[in-house]
Amino acid sequence: MNGLVIFDLDNTIIAGDSDKNWGMFLAEENIVDKHYLLQSEEFYKKYSTGDLDIYSFIKFCSQPLIKNSMDKLLDLRKKFIETKIKPMILDKPKQIITNHIKNDEKVIIATATNNFVTRPIADLFQIDDLISTELEIKNNKFTGNVIDIPCFKEGKLEKVKKWANKNDFKLSDATFYSDSFNDLPLFNEVKNAVVVDGDSKILSIANKNAWQCMSFRE
């Protein structure tokens, strides 16, 4: 392998936020109510300002998973992927991912969104290695607990670093694509930081550091 290439998921290789859209989809399916969506919007405002309490957010997002059977959730997820996620798939990142693989580079996804939502999305990109927020399952039911730590901010860096060490890669030689200033801890550790359709905060930092900036939506 020639090197490690890390892709963020939401608003990077797909044109939207899978976690937020999952909540909206559950509302359409009458699994959650309007109050849930209002709470969700408040969490996303805090995410945008960098003030998100990730453990409170995970507890909130886990509610519909805890309350429903695994069979029902799997059926819902299948419909969600077909009707909501596939239309968000962007051609440009698919081609860039393919090019990295052709260059014999190892491509992984690192996302704060939980593995129940994101595992089938990674499969759409034919990426086996997914680093995400892992939700605990016991007796085929979600418990609401997180395995290890959330894959968010410094937690994402820690989980990616642990994976890289285990698989004999160095972050100091890696490339990382993301849209969000919440990923600044990981951006600061890689050799090649690539800001994709970035928010204003990360674009400002990118300009100061002469990081590459690009769009996957043009």
Side-chain angles (χ1 to χ4, degrees):
M1 287 285 175
N2 288 328
L4 176 64
V5 182
I6 309 154
F7 284 87
D8 177 44
L9 178 67
D10 297 311
N11 289 306
T12 300
I13 60 173
I14 63 172
D17 188 293
S18 59
D19 214 346
K20 185 175 184 179
N21 277 274
W22 170 247
M24 294 167 64
F25 170 77
L26 292 180
E28 291 175 10
E29 297 292 319
N30 297 312
I31 303 298
V32 298
D33 57 19
K34 290 182 180 179
H35 181 63
Y36 182 94
L37 291 183
L38 290 173
Q39 286 183 286
S40 174
E41 194 59 38
E42 289 303 311
F43 277 114
Y44 281 100
K45 287 178 182 177
K46 291 179 179 179
Y47 172 84
S48 298
T49 60
D51 299 317
L52 179 66
D53 180 338
I54 188 63
Y55 284 99
S56 295
F57 180 63
I58 292 169
K59 183 178 179 180
F60 167 75
C61 291
S62 295
Q63 292 172 14
L65 300 179
I66 294 169
K67 293 176 181 178
N68 289 277
S69 71
M70 188 62 71
D71 286 344
K72 184 173 185 178
L73 290 169
L74 290 172
D75 286 342
L76 285 165
R77 187 178 69 173
K78 184 177 180 180
K79 184 177 180 181
F80 170 68
I81 295 297
E82 289 296 324
T83 62
K84 303 299 181 182
I85 293 299
K86 285 189 175 180
M88 292 185 199
I89 299 294
L90 297 164
D91 290 333
K92 192 169 182 178
K94 287 183 73 174
Q95 186 58 55
I96 290 174
I97 288 168
T98 298
N99 290 342
H100 280 299
I101 293 171
K102 285 181 178 178
N103 289 336
D104 198 31
E105 293 168 296
K106 179 64 177 179
V107 176
I108 69 173
I109 290 174
T111 175
T113 302
N114 70 73
N115 55 328
F116 179 76
V117 170
T118 57
R119 179 65 263 173
I121 304 175
D123 291 340
L124 292 176
F125 287 91
Q126 298 182 310
I127 295 176
D128 294 329
D129 291 281
L130 170 69
I131 301 173
S132 61
T133 298
E134 298 177 63
L135 303 181
E136 183 183 59
I137 298 172
K138 286 187 176 180
N139 300 318
N140 210 33
K141 291 280 291 183
F142 285 98
T143 66
N145 297 324
V146 178
I147 299 172
D148 195 16
I149 58 173
C151 189
F152 182 62
K153 289 189 173 180
E154 289 80 7
K156 179 181 282 192
L157 170 60
E158 185 174 333
K159 292 189 72 146
V160 170
K161 188 178 290 185
K162 187 183 296 184
W163 183 95
N165 290 338
K166 182 179 178 181
N167 291 276
D168 297 321
F169 288 102
K170 293 181 180 179
L171 290 186
S172 57
D173 294 327
T175 298
F176 177 44
Y177 294 82
S178 177
D179 70 297
S180 177
F181 79 98
N182 284 300
D183 283 330
L184 191 57
L186 185 50
F187 270 129
N188 284 330
E189 292 291 324
V190 299
K191 180 179 181 180
N192 301 308
V194 185
V195 175
V196 179
D197 298 296
D199 56 50
S200 58
K201 290 183 180 180
I202 197 62
L203 285 174
S204 176
I205 295 168
N207 288 333
K208 291 177 183 177
N209 288 280
W211 292 345
Q212 182 181 355
C213 297
M214 64 188 302
S215 176
F216 282 169
R217 306 191 190 200
E218 294 177 352

